[in-house]
Amino acid sequence: IKNTIYSNEHDLLKKIFEYDQAKSDNLLVSNLPSFPKFFDERKELFEELKEKMNNLNQNNQRFLVIYGLPGIGKSTMALQYASYFKKSNSNNIALWVNAEDEDKIIDSYSKILNFELKKENYIDHFKRKLNSTIRTLDKKMLVIFDNVEDYD
C-alpha cells in the first residue's frame, strides 16, 4: 500500500481490504507444538476424547477440560486431538495458547495474531480480531489453553 498513488478512494479501499484479507489469511496458521520424541498414543483415551469433542459440537457446548496430575500426558493428548482436528478438514484452524501465566498468554495471542498486544485490554482486542478473522475466513477453530493453573 505504501508508495502507491491511487486514482480514487474506491481503489484505495479495495487495496486496503485485499491487504487486510491477505494479512488475516496469515494470522491463523496452526501454531501447534511438535510431538514429543517418545509418544504413547493411548488409542482408547484418544477415541474417548474424539467422542466427547463430537458430543460438544452436537450439544452446542464450547469447552472441554482435560485435567490431572503433571506429566501424565494431558498436553500430548490435546496435541494429538488438535492434529486430528486439522487433518480432518483443511479449513480447520487449531491454535495453541501457553496459559501458564498472563505474560505467556499475551505472547501466545500476539504470535497467533501476528500483532503485538499490550497488557491492558489484550483479551478484548484478541477476541475482536480473532472473531472478525474467523467470520471472514469461514473456518472452524479449536483453541487449546495449555498449562492453565487458574481460570480466573
Side-chain angles (χ1 to χ4, degrees), residues 31-111:
N31 66 335
L32 299 178
S34 54
F35 277 97
K37 258 185 190 175
F38 302 103
F39 169 60
D40 179 14
E41 262 187 80
R42 300 164 72 180
K43 290 180 182 181
E44 289 175 18
L45 278 176
F46 181 66
E47 291 302 320
E48 185 179 334
L49 177 59
K50 283 184 358 187
E51 184 179 324
K52 287 184 185 302
M53 291 300 289
N54 286 333
N55 289 340
L56 282 179
N57 291 335
Q58 292 170 358
N59 297 327
N60 285 330
Q61 293 175 301
R62 303 214 179 252
F63 298 97
L64 179 73
V65 177
I66 301 173
Y67 63 94
L69 296 171
I72 62 170
K74 299 175 300 294
S75 297
T76 305
M77 183 65 64
L79 177 58
Q80 184 181 5
Y81 182 80
S83 296
Y84 162 79
F85 177 79
K86 279 224 25 93
K87 288 176 186 170
S88 68
N89 185 329
S90 61
N91 281 331
N92 288 349
I93 297 168
L95 302 173
W96 194 272
V97 176
N98 182 347
E100 202 168 317
D101 60 42
E102 188 175 33
D103 290 336
K104 289 184 179 168
I105 292 171
I106 294 170
D107 184 54
S108 291
Y109 285 178
S110 295
K111 286 177 181 170

